[in-house]
Amino acid sequence: MNSDKRLKVYKLLKKIPRGRVSTYGALASRLGMNPRLVGRILGQNSHPEIYPCYRVVRSDGSLGGYTIDSVNNEHSLSVKKKKLLRDGVKFSGERVEKKLIMKTI
DNA sequence: CCGTTGACCAGGC
DNA sequence: GGCCTGGCCAACG
């Protein structure tokens, strides 16, 4: 994958403040990419220690995905939720509250 | 060169 | 909210 595009995604990632989230689609439209491409970039090249990729969720507030140490399952999603809760993000059920989602960034 | 597969999305029921 | 549909586009075999 174009490492140029990866850099753009990661750079934008850092602009999401603690306690808020954005969506795959929002990042994608800001960068002129396809949402699926953003998802792939976050999945294949995530650096969980450095970049807060857990602050990206689906447009309806559901979690989307998360990958740690080549593990991608329900457990990894619970980790993602936990990180969000620690940031102060509020949930209604399994979805992030809509007002916390940044549609533009 | 295809067919399938995604950390997706908007629109309809 | 759930389920489907059609659209999207790069990666993989």
Side-chain angles (χ1 to χ4, degrees), chain A residues 20-23 57-61 96-104:
Chain A
R20 311 259 343 244
V21 299
S22 190
T23 72
V57 300
R58 287 206 202 182
S59 60
D60 65 358
V96 171
E97 282 191 6
K98 287 210 98 184
K99 55 175 169 183
L100 298 178
I101 299 175
M102 302 173 65
K103 293 178 178 138
T104 67

Side-chain angles (χ1 to χ4, degrees), chain A residues 11 50 68:
Chain A
K11 200 169 191 174
I50 308 172
I68 325 167

Side-chain angles (χ1 to χ4, degrees), chain A residues 54-72:
Chain A
Y54 64 89
R55 287 181 189 153
V56 183
V57 300
R58 287 206 202 182
S59 60
D60 65 358
S62 60
L63 279 179
Y66 196 57
T67 306
I68 325 167
D69 295 331
S70 63
V71 175
N72 185 7

Side-chain angles (χ1 to χ4, degrees), chain A residues 7-74:
Chain A
L7 288 179
K8 286 184 184 169
V9 171
Y10 290 139
K11 200 169 191 174
L12 210 48
L13 217 46
K14 287 192 285 196
K15 300 186 68 174
I16 308 175
R18 196 156 52 87
R20 311 259 343 244
V21 299
S22 190
T23 72
Y24 302 96
L27 270 53
S29 85
R30 179 71 165 69
L31 298 174
M33 309 185 191
N34 187 284
R36 312 195 88 130
L37 183 54
V38 173
R40 187 164 44 242
I41 289 173
L42 293 181
Q44 296 182 344
N45 297 89
S46 63
H47 307 234
E49 311 301 318
I50 308 172
Y51 299 100
C53 60
Y54 64 89
R55 287 181 189 153
V56 183
V57 300
R58 287 206 202 182
S59 60
D60 65 358
S62 60
L63 279 179
Y66 196 57
T67 306
I68 325 167
D69 295 331
S70 63
V71 175
N72 185 7
N73 52 31
E74 292 189 16

